[in-house]
Amino acid sequence: MLKFAFLAAAVLVSADQALANGHGGSSEPPPPKPDAQTSPARVVQTKQGPKLVDLKGMTLYYYERDTSGKTSSCDGKCTESWTPLSAPKDAKAVGDFTIITRNDGSKMWAYRYRPLYTSPADKAPGDINGNATTMLWRVARPEE
């Protein structure tokens, strides 16, 4: 009889733990698992071929004078026409996306070591109005 009592107690403790682990017994969900850092941009298909867009769907551009892979050539007044794709201070490289430290100390994303920007001339996802402003700015494409 004593063995049966111990066995019944063990079953009850196991059942209580199972209910508390998401099977109806706990009022608090388990803590979320930390997400792996996700890419700051994605590729979309267009009539002109694939292009990179930010997570809001806005077209990304690169500046042909950004060639060092370590800095951005677009500072000061340039950032009124071209918005750097900012990265959080703790961002880490993900795949072909790297981090550039700007002259002001802020961080921005680069694709294959070319800093990425959006254009205020683009008003809606998919717009490519920034491409026509000067020949030094290009739509960022995954094959480049």
Side-chain angles (χ1 to χ4, degrees), residues 66-115:
D66 284 338
T67 57
S68 74
K70 297 177 183 171
T71 60
S72 165
S73 299
C74 181
D75 284 307
K77 276 193 126 355
C78 179
T79 59
E80 293 173 12
S81 299
W82 299 95
T83 307
L85 182 61
S86 63
K89 290 185 185 277
D90 62 346
K92 293 182 176 43
V94 177
D96 285 331
F97 294 95
T98 54
I99 308 298
I100 300 282
T101 301
R102 298 181 50 74
N103 289 340
D104 65 2
S106 64
K107 306 278 185 180
M108 72 180 292
W109 288 106
Y111 179 73
R112 295 186 178 171
Y113 300 100
R114 283 195 178 244

Side-chain angles (χ1 to χ4, degrees), residues 26-97:
S26 176
S27 61
E28 291 184 35
K33 295 179 183 175
D35 290 336
Q37 186 168 334
T38 59
S39 174
R42 58 190 170 87
V43 176
V44 296
Q45 285 295 338
T46 69
K47 291 179 184 179
Q48 297 79 25
K51 71 176 180 178
L52 292 174
V53 298
D54 69 8
L55 298 179
K56 296 176 186 173
M58 301 304 286
T59 301
L60 292 171
Y61 300 86
Y62 71 89
Y63 187 37
E64 285 192 2
R65 292 188 180 160
D66 284 338
T67 57
S68 74
K70 297 177 183 171
T71 60
S72 165
S73 299
C74 181
D75 284 307
K77 276 193 126 355
C78 179
T79 59
E80 293 173 12
S81 299
W82 299 95
T83 307
L85 182 61
S86 63
K89 290 185 185 277
D90 62 346
K92 293 182 176 43
V94 177
D96 285 331
F97 294 95

